[in-house]
Structures are given as structure tokens and as C-alpha cells.
Amino acid sequence: MALKHPHGTGSGRRDLDVNPIFSREPLTIPRDELPAGELDPGTAYQVVHDELMLDGNARLNLATFVSTWAEPEAALLMAESADKNMIDKDEYPRTAELEMRCVHMLARLWHAPDPRRAVGCSTTGSSEAAMLGGLALKRRWQRRRRAAGGPADRPNIVMGVNVQICWEKFANYFEVEPRYVPMEGDRFHLGAREAVELCDENTIGVVAVLGSTFDGSYEPVAEIAAALDDLERRTGLDVPVHVDGASGAMVAPFLDPDLVWDFQLPRVASINTSGHKYGLVMPGVGWALWRDEEALPEDLVFRVNYLGGDMPTFALNFSRPGAQVVAQYYNFLRLGFDGFRRVQRTCRDVATGLASEIGRLGPFEPLTDGGDIPVFAFRVREDVRAFTVFDVSAALREAGWLVPAYTFPENRTDLAVLRVVVRNGFGHDLADLFLDDLRRALPRLEAQREPRRGADGTTGFAHGAEPKGTPAAKLS
């Protein structure tokens, strides 16, 4: 079915009259078909530029986890590398070399037993990287089952209902049964006991999220791994862990060095992260790493010639620009460990400070405080009857702020929250401006006789906090 634009023009016209101020002569430009002839470059630029002005301001988007600011030098390097195809390793060997340096840096950052044996690759984002991790889990499970003479046609994967939507897509695309652990009470993410209860001989792995998109909290990776160790001792079932570190894998190493979540745990087979989230790169890059060659089945790896040698590649996409990989290496080189620590510390300080100030306003109650990844959720107190979180989101949008409001999934659908994502570039000054606008909105909201908006009137920009399918029952 062809995709249709959700909004038509009021007059029904689909041609655009171009003001002669912006052109050499009056023109009419069709919107939905190729123009018959060429346009002056300045005219074409102005038409596109003017329409894009109607987009939201990316810096005020507190819904997205994706970087919206970069140093000018990083932007310049990206512009200089935009024409380099990341897949052509032999044609652009230096770009490929920068990619492998980033993999080695991440392997050391995440405590791979032997960083030289860790394997990994760049991707278009953490969603692709997560799917690669899941695909490797499935292929390893199939190989083990067939070697043992068992059936390999009913794989399942265990995860919390709070996982990012990419995991639902993985299960759908690669025909794996998703087993979602629902939220219960004040547990808003995956628990160790609950994960183990859904595992059986068909479980390809457990996904642990380091930084839930619903509330910013870390899942207890070490506890989950320990529970799976115990499961193997009791039953012989060997279930690996994949850590979805889309956000947290670029925060925890710098701010929580004592937290054990990565390749220090032998049960962690693979980790993904997003370079364009807390890796501080503009949109378009993620990373997938496996602890060693054994964790990545050889039949999933393709080999290319690279600097006269052999280089493994593993990706779902093919041609894509090398610009974001170059920017990632720039950030690693430019900031180093201490620089990343300062950036992430500032983000966390802003998040915890903002969560605390919002909690003092009266009508709001923080659900989390931004003390894991720099993300927090807060709700309207139960005794407030005049407005909902959806009213608050709409009021903030009038001032330019994009703050998602959404209900939690099954078993906690009674809980409706707002979520704020603090990224590099959203400093204490912008946080103060955000608070000022929130305070200004409160008298009007409190003067309402009743709420004006509910969950059915939201615009759906929750970025990962979408509802999943019904939690699967354990197979008998």
C-alpha cells in the first residue's frame, strides 16, 4: 500500500507559487512530481529551507535520545566525509581503519577479556546493532540445538516489556517468539527472577537494557547473569545475555565505574550502543560488539580485502556514509576518557537537578531522578484533578518544547508520565528556561475545571516508550 501524506492543503492545490523575491522570475513548482525543467540552485534551496523552518527546534526536543549538537570541527569532518561509502573498505581504507580503532576502543572500554579478539562493526544506529546481536544469538542457538539432535524451529527471546521497539521488530523479522516480562508495582524494567522464569530450552538469549527508554533506569545486568548462571547449574540450560546499551553503554563506563554490566560478566555475549546518542555523534551511527570470535557465528561474517589483508564485516545495511564513523573517532580522540566523563557528568547533573526542581513545584512527582542515564520520568500527583500529563505536554509544546507524555505498558497502564532526555547541548541555562516555561504554564493548567487531553490525543513521539505486544506465556 502506498504511503500517503497525512495532511492535504486546505485549497486542494498541490502546486507551489514561488515568491519572486526568492527567484529570478515567478515560478510554479509541483510538489508531488518532478518539475519539467531545472530550477535555479538558490530557488530550490530557499523553497526547501522555508519548508524546513516549520519543523520543531531540535535543541528543544526533550523526547529524542539522539544528539542534536556537535562541535563545528566534527560537523566539518562529516561534510568532508559525506561522499565516502562505509562499505567500500578497500576504496576508503583509512575510514575503515578509523572504524576498527573505534571497535577496539569500545572493546577496552567494555572490558572485553582480550580486546584484540573482540569483534564488532559500525551500523546505522543501535537498532541495527541490536538486531545483529539478536541474529547472532539465534544462529548460535540453532547450531547448538542441531548439534544436540534437537529441533531448532521454535526460538524465543526474553526481555522486559520496556525494551525499545527495535526488539519487537527483530522478533517479527527474524521469526523469534518475544517473551515480555511485564512491569509489576514499582518494578518498571526486567528483573532477574522474572527473566529466568520465562527461559527454556528454546531461549536464544535474554536482553538486558542499560538505560530504559521509559524511565532512564539501568536493568540489573549482573543479577540477571547470576540468575542465569544458577539456571545452568540446576538445569544445564546455557542462556547468554545481550546488553542493549543504546544509551547506558556510553554513560556507565564514565560515571559508574563500579557497576558490573559488560564483558566482565562471562555470560554477556554481545553489546550494542548508539554512537548518535551518548556517543555524541549526529544521527547515523551505532556499534555492535561481541566478546570474541566464538560469540559471532562465522557463517554470518563476510570477508573483504582491506589494506592488503582480510577484514570481517557483518551488517544488515550496505552503502552508507562514513561521515558518522569519522565523527565518532573524532569524539573519541577529541574528548578522551576524561572529556567523555565531564560531558556525561554535566548531563547527569542537569538531569538530577531538573528532576529535583520539578518535584518541588507541587503538582509533580518524579518517578526517577536521572541518576542512571541522564533521563527521568515524572507524573502528575494523584490529587491533582485539573490537568493530566498530556495537558502539560501540550502546554510545553506551545513554548517550543517537545516533552513526550505516555502511559506505561500492561500491568501499569494506570501510570501516565512525562519524560525528559538530557543530552549534550542541553545545559543548566536551557534547563532554567524550561523550568520557567513550565512554571508559567501551571496557573493556566490549574485553572482548568477538568483535564482537556488524554492518552488518545497524544502525538506519539515517545521514542522507544511505545506499547509492545501482550507478554507471552511460557511455553509448556
Side-chain angles (χ1 to χ4, degrees):
M1 183 177 69
L3 295 175
K4 296 182 179 179
H5 195 283
H7 304 293
T9 56
S11 64
R13 294 181 55 196
R14 298 302 300 158
D15 293 340
L16 175 67
D17 292 330
V18 178
N19 190 318
I21 293 175
F22 296 145
S23 62
R24 290 349 182 229
E25 59 186 45
L27 293 171
T28 298
I29 302 172
R31 281 197 172 101
D32 300 324
E33 60 183 274
L34 287 172
E38 299 180 16
L39 288 178
D40 178 83
T43 302
Y45 167 83
Q46 196 66 51
V47 168
V48 177
H49 173 82
D50 287 356
E51 185 158 356
L52 290 176
M53 288 193 302
L54 300 177
D55 274 343
N57 186 325
R59 291 284 296 282
L60 304 184
N61 185 355
L62 304 186
T64 183
F65 289 74
V66 175
S67 295
T68 55
W69 182 87
E71 290 183 327
E73 292 82 359
L76 179 59
L77 282 171
M78 291 182 72
E80 293 172 349
S81 307
D83 59 347
K84 295 184 179 182
N85 191 347
M86 195 65 242
I87 204 67
D88 291 334
K89 313 293 185 184
D90 54 340
E91 295 180 28
Y92 306 109
R94 303 322 306 175
T95 304
E97 173 66 16
L98 298 189
E99 178 187 25
M100 293 316 299
R101 289 180 192 175
C102 289
V103 168
H104 294 152
M105 289 176 179
L106 289 171
R108 286 172 172 78
L109 188 67
W110 297 339
H111 301 99
D114 183 353
R116 295 168 298 179
R117 294 187 61 225
V119 291
C121 62
S122 66
T123 63
T124 55
S126 56
S127 293
E128 182 192 357
M131 291 193 187
L132 294 178
L135 186 56
L137 291 177
K138 180 183 177 183
R139 193 64 61 89
R140 288 176 63 198
W141 172 82
Q142 289 175 322
R143 189 171 59 187
R144 291 196 307 268
R145 293 286 289 171
R146 289 166 182 157
D153 60 343
R154 299 182 66 194
N156 67 69
I157 188 166
V158 174
M159 48 198 169
V161 74
N162 57 297
V163 291
Q164 212 270 349
I165 196 71
C166 69
W167 287 104
E168 188 172 13
K169 290 182 178 180
F170 163 76
N172 186 3
Y173 297 165
F174 295 102
E175 298 182 320
V176 176
E177 176 200 352
R179 293 186 171 182
Y180 297 116
V181 173
M183 296 179 179
E184 294 286 352
D186 293 331
R187 180 181 56 76
F188 303 128
H189 55 225
L190 184 63
R193 177 181 58 82
E194 293 79 9
V196 168
E197 287 177 350
L198 289 183
C199 292
D200 60 19
E201 67 277 3
N202 292 320
T203 303
I204 67 174
V206 173
V207 177
V209 179
L210 200 70
S212 171
T213 56
F214 276 85
D215 62 1
S217 61
Y218 292 152
E219 291 188 337
V221 183
E223 292 179 22
I224 293 169
L228 292 171
D229 290 342
D230 179 67
L231 177 69
E232 183 176 11
R233 284 191 294 268
R234 291 186 288 107
T235 66
L237 292 178
D238 183 9
V239 180
V241 171
H242 174 89
V243 177
D244 182 349
S247 295
M250 292 304 295
V251 173
F254 305 105
L255 300 186
D256 307 295
D258 296 329
L259 182 68
V260 179
W261 63 272
D262 55 16
F263 292 130
Q264 294 178 87
L265 299 168
R267 196 159 291 276
V268 172
S270 49
I271 301 171
N272 71 274
T273 196
S274 176
H276 60 228
K277 292 180 181 174
Y278 290 98
L280 311 181
V281 179
M282 296 297 246
V285 64
W287 299 94
L289 266 71
W290 292 263
R291 67 182 304 115
D292 52 34
E293 296 95 333
E294 295 299 319
L296 178 60
E298 180 63 28
D299 56 354
L300 291 176
V301 179
F302 295 85
R303 303 282 173 178
V304 297
N305 181 53
Y306 160 68
L307 290 180
D310 181 67
M311 181 178 183
T313 66
F314 179 32
L316 298 179
N317 288 293
F318 200 71
S319 294
R320 56 187 174 87
Q324 288 84 355
V325 169
V326 170
Q328 184 73 84
Y329 182 71
Y330 166 84
N331 279 338
F332 286 164
L333 195 66
R334 157 79 174 86
L335 293 171
F337 190 93
D338 285 342
F340 263 92
R341 180 168 54 190
R342 285 198 299 272
V343 169
Q344 313 302 32
R345 170 56 65 187
T346 298
C347 289
R348 181 179 282 181
D349 288 347
V350 171
T352 55
L354 189 55
S356 177
E357 288 297 323
I358 289 174
R360 294 191 183 100
L361 291 181
F364 303 116
E365 179 182 359
L367 202 68
T368 48
D369 65 358
D372 289 340
I373 62 172
V375 174
F376 64 92
F378 63 101
R379 60 182 174 180
V380 174
R381 294 186 183 276
E382 293 183 358
D383 58 346
V384 175
R385 298 287 184 263
F387 59 90
T388 66
V389 293
F390 308 103
D391 291 310
V392 177
S393 178
L396 288 170
R397 191 159 193 167
E398 292 175 7
W401 302 101
L402 298 181
V403 182
Y406 50 88
T407 56
F408 272 35
E410 189 168 346
N411 289 13
R412 287 311 315 264
T413 54
D414 60 302
L415 187 58
V417 305
L418 295 129
R419 186 195 65 207
V420 170
V421 179
V422 175
R423 304 176 307 279
N424 189 30
F426 183 77
H428 292 286
D429 53 343
L430 284 179
D432 289 342
L433 295 175
F434 173 80
L435 273 173
D436 289 343
D437 285 330
L438 182 56
R439 291 190 184 101
R440 273 192 288 269
L442 281 179
R444 175 162 56 92
L445 292 171
E446 292 171 335
Q448 295 179 176
R449 294 184 178 180
E450 60 184 11
R452 296 182 179 178
R453 291 175 175 81
D456 56 347
T458 61
T459 54
F461 54 98
H463 290 272
E466 301 85 0
K468 310 297 186 300
T470 302
K474 185 175 180 181
L475 292 177
S476 57

